[in-house]
């Protein structure tokens, strides 16, 4: 049961940071705002440099003095217990995401459904470091072991703050690292629940996980620059990812990045349009398009282009934006009014540049006088992939349609951006998905589906969509160092 958007929580103390297993205040107190109504729903302490330094010290001390790095069974136990705690309080987490993050209930349920799986996957990996031993010569044994890299800085975006935090924290902990997590201000109330869950696991040593909340970049910059932070796991925009990689390069610091995307839907003549169109529409409207795998590009074969245009215009035009508390809402708000202005400006510039308007949405909802940050879906058509609306991540409910004639042209169009996070193929030909998946430059290919990711397998992007992988067996790689040990156990008696 979601709370009414008019519910207020002014009496609740401001959310503090979690440092060394203690709640720490300090810093200016700012409001948390419901993007669907503009109402204040709580407050939080914005981080200051002093708290960032204290969190790094706490994480370093925990790594150097506790048994955490050397106790795989302890790590597995803690991760398993955290999974239980998250699942016990999932409803509370869903409510927070709906109120603070603007997600519809189904979207918040989807986000939180991955958390327990990610933690349990990491719990299993914690006791399987995958080293190896071999006799490399008579009487000579070599082994490769993997050891935790040290303190890890996790920088989390606001669009899926609960899962995307856990997605980096879980493998880092499984590897034996300690972490300092920068949570965005737009998720301060959600971060408070995460801190409470961490505090509820007594086996977790103090300082292993530290959480900071900030509006700006004080914590993020310090984590990237601090010599005691040995690796960074960042999810967010490609522009910021490039800045992080450049800043970390001076220390040769390990950096894992999952960045932006421009997911194309490749729709072929034999596609089941009754199945495809609702998913293509949903790929644009889930969290109002504020998702790295938003299906922002629709590539359709010329023989079915007219039908797809007609269906998409009708379906997108019927989408009803509204708050999560209203069961009739089909799509929630953008995160704030600045995002509304940014998306609208991008659409205006595309139209001025020659994009054809198939459906023009824009700011606002049905209810007059709404203070929410809503934006109705928009569908444009272009002929040239070089235009900015095709090349730039929109992060809003806007789709761009292009027409292709051949399979080769479809692949060329799909690959004609700097991004390579995901792609969808719609066809009933059993061979085409296998053939095309090997040619598409993307880290996740969904066949007759969209964003069909599996936590138990590696996730990440190609090209400007990122480096490294989270999830799957490779999820620990960013947080481990290899060490080779060779011993002449025969003592020369060979």
């Amino acid at each position: 049961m979601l709370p009414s958007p008019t519910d207020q929580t002014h009496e609740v103390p401001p959310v503090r940071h979690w440092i060394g297993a203690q709640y720490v205040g300090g810093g200016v107190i700012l409001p948390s705002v419901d993007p669907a109504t503009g109402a204040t729903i709580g407050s939080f302490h914005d981080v200051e440099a002093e708290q960032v330094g204290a969190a790094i010290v706490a994480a370093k001390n925990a790594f150097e003095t506790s048994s955490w790095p050397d106790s795989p069974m302890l790590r597995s136990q803690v991760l398993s217990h955290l999974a239980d705690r998250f699942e016990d309080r999932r409803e509370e987490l869903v409510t927070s995401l709906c109120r603070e993050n603007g997600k519809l209930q189904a979207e918040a349920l989807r986000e939180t459904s991955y958390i327990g799986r990610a933690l349990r996957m990491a719990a299993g990996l914690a006791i399987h470091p995958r080293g190896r031993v071999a006799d490399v010569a008579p009487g000579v044994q070599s082994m490769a072991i993997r050891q935790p890299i040290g303190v890890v800085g996790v920088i989390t975006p606001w669009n899926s703050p609960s899962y995307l935090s856990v997605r980096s924290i879980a493998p880092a902990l499984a590897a034996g690292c300690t972490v300092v997590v920068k949570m965005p201000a737009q998720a301060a109330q959600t971060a408070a629940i995460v801190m409470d869950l961490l505090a509820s696991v007594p086996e977790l040593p103090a300082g292993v996980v530290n959480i900071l909340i900030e509006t700006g970049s004080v914590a993020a910059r310090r984590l990237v620059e601090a010599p005691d932070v040995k690796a960074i796991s960042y999810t967010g925009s490609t522009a910021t990812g490039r800045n992080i990689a450049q800043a970390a390069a001076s220390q040769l610091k390990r950096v894992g990045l999952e960045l932006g995307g421009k997911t194309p839907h490749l729709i072929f003549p034999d596609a089941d349009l009754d199945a495809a169109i609702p998913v293509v529409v949903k790929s644009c409207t889930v969290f109002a398009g504020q998702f790295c795998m938003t299906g922002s590009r629709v590539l359709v074969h010329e023989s079915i282009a007219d039908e797809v245009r007609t269906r998409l215009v009708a379906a997108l035009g019927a989408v009803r934006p509204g708050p999560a508390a209203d069961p009739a809402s089909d799509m929630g708000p953008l995160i704030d009014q600045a995002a509304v202005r940014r998306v609208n400006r991008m659409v205006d510039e595309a139209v001025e540049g020659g994009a054809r308007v198939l459906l023009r949405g824009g700011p606002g909802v049905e209810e007059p006088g709404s203070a929410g940050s809503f934006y109705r879906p928009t569908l444009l058509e272009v002929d040239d992939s070089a235009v900015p609306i095709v090349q730039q991540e929109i992060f809003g409910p806007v789709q761009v349609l292009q027409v292709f004639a051949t399979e080769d042209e479809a692949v060329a169009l799909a690959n004609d951006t700097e991004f390579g996070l995901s792609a969808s193929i719609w066809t009933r030909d059993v061979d085409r998905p296998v053939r095309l998946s090997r040619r598409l430059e993307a880290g996740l290919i969904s066949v007759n589906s969209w964003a069909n990711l599996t936590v138990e397998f590696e996730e990440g992007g190609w090209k400007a969509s990122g480096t490294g992988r989270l999830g799957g067996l490779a999820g620990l790689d960013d947080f481990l160092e290899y060490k080779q040990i060779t011993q002449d156990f025969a003592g020369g008696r060979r």
Side-chain angles (χ1 to χ4, degrees), residues 268-318:
F268 290 90
D270 58 353
D272 181 351
L273 294 184
D274 290 337
I277 296 299
V279 178
V280 172
V281 169
K282 184 61 71 174
S283 77
C284 175
T285 62
V286 163
F287 195 26
Q290 300 170 117
F291 180 39
C292 55
M293 295 185 189
T294 292
S296 56
R297 304 179 63 203
V298 182
L299 310 180
V300 56
H301 190 269
E302 60 187 5
S303 65
I304 56 171
D306 287 341
E307 183 178 1
V308 170
R309 286 190 195 97
T310 300
R311 288 195 183 207
L312 282 180
V313 167
L316 288 168

Side-chain angles (χ1 to χ4, degrees), residues 128-153:
H128 291 287
R130 291 190 294 142
R132 64 186 191 275
V133 179
D135 291 337
V136 295
V140 179
Q141 172 185 273
S142 286
M143 68 177 71
I145 64 172
R146 302 207 296 173
Q147 294 179 295
I149 197 169
V151 178
V152 173

